[in-house]
Amino acid sequence: MNSELDNGNAAALPSPGGLSFQNGNWYLMAKTGSLARQRWASMLAELKVSPSQYGVLMALGEAGPLGQQRLAELVGVDPRNAVPIIDALAAHGLVHREVDPVDRRRRVLDLTARGREVVDELASVGAGIERDLLSPLSPAEQATLRRMLRAVLSAGRESG
């Protein structure tokens, strides 16, 4: 086979981004998403938190004490699947359950002091990753990107 690589003519190959498919929005979003996911996964692994646990911790950090059903709804997890996630977080001393004084059948979840520390660390490290990843863009461009991504996600959820 007599390809350009066989001839040692690597300079004739297009540079990354030089092929037309590499300039398609779908491709660029996938590659950017992959880069962001790699950095996010690395952060989670370093802090010993799973993606599902991240969602629960950050939701509790932002919303405060929540019932298990509402928490599962907010993070997009089936309530039955939320139980093992919550159990693991409780076993690590990051969340605690209390009986709801108004409805004793209901359990309310909240962060422990250690859980708040982890949420603060996740938020800080995550903000640093976002700052680094989006550093080539101005603040106005970042706001535009966020608005555009929300529109794409919203439309995707509605159609599928």
Side-chain angles (χ1 to χ4, degrees):
M1 180 165 150
N2 192 13
S3 72
E4 292 180 26
L5 285 177
D6 292 337
N7 294 330
N9 192 6
L13 291 175
S15 62
L19 297 171
S20 63
F21 79 89
Q22 293 171 324
N23 289 306
N25 287 331
W26 67 270
Y27 182 84
L28 294 169
M29 285 190 299
K31 294 302 265 184
T32 303
S34 178
L35 178 61
R37 185 159 185 83
Q38 288 170 0
R39 292 183 185 182
W40 183 62
S42 177
M43 172 189 74
L44 295 181
E46 185 176 311
L47 296 173
K48 297 178 176 63
V49 173
S50 74
S52 297
Q53 291 170 341
Y54 171 86
V56 167
L57 289 169
M58 298 309 285
L60 288 173
E62 187 172 332
L66 293 168
Q68 285 185 203
Q69 295 284 333
R70 179 67 179 134
L71 177 62
E73 180 183 303
L74 281 174
V75 298
V77 174
D78 184 288
R80 291 170 295 197
N81 296 335
V83 173
I85 298 165
I86 294 163
D87 287 346
L89 291 170
H92 287 94
L94 302 177
V95 300
H96 62 87
R97 294 180 181 103
E98 293 181 5
V99 175
D100 185 340
V102 176
D103 181 354
R104 300 201 47 78
R105 296 168 296 170
R106 187 171 170 252
R107 299 288 177 259
V108 177
L109 301 163
D110 199 4
L111 295 170
T112 63
R114 175 68 185 130
R116 285 185 223 304
E117 291 172 7
V118 170
V119 165
D120 289 347
E121 190 169 1
L122 286 166
S124 176
V125 173
I129 291 170
E130 180 174 326
R131 203 171 29 258
D132 179 56
L133 190 63
L134 298 181
S135 65
L137 305 177
S138 72
E141 290 170 324
Q142 291 179 33
T144 299
L145 175 63
R146 187 171 18 265
R147 189 179 68 253
M148 293 166 68
L149 291 171
R150 283 183 179 150
V152 170
L153 284 173
S154 178
R157 288 180 182 135
E158 290 172 8
S159 69

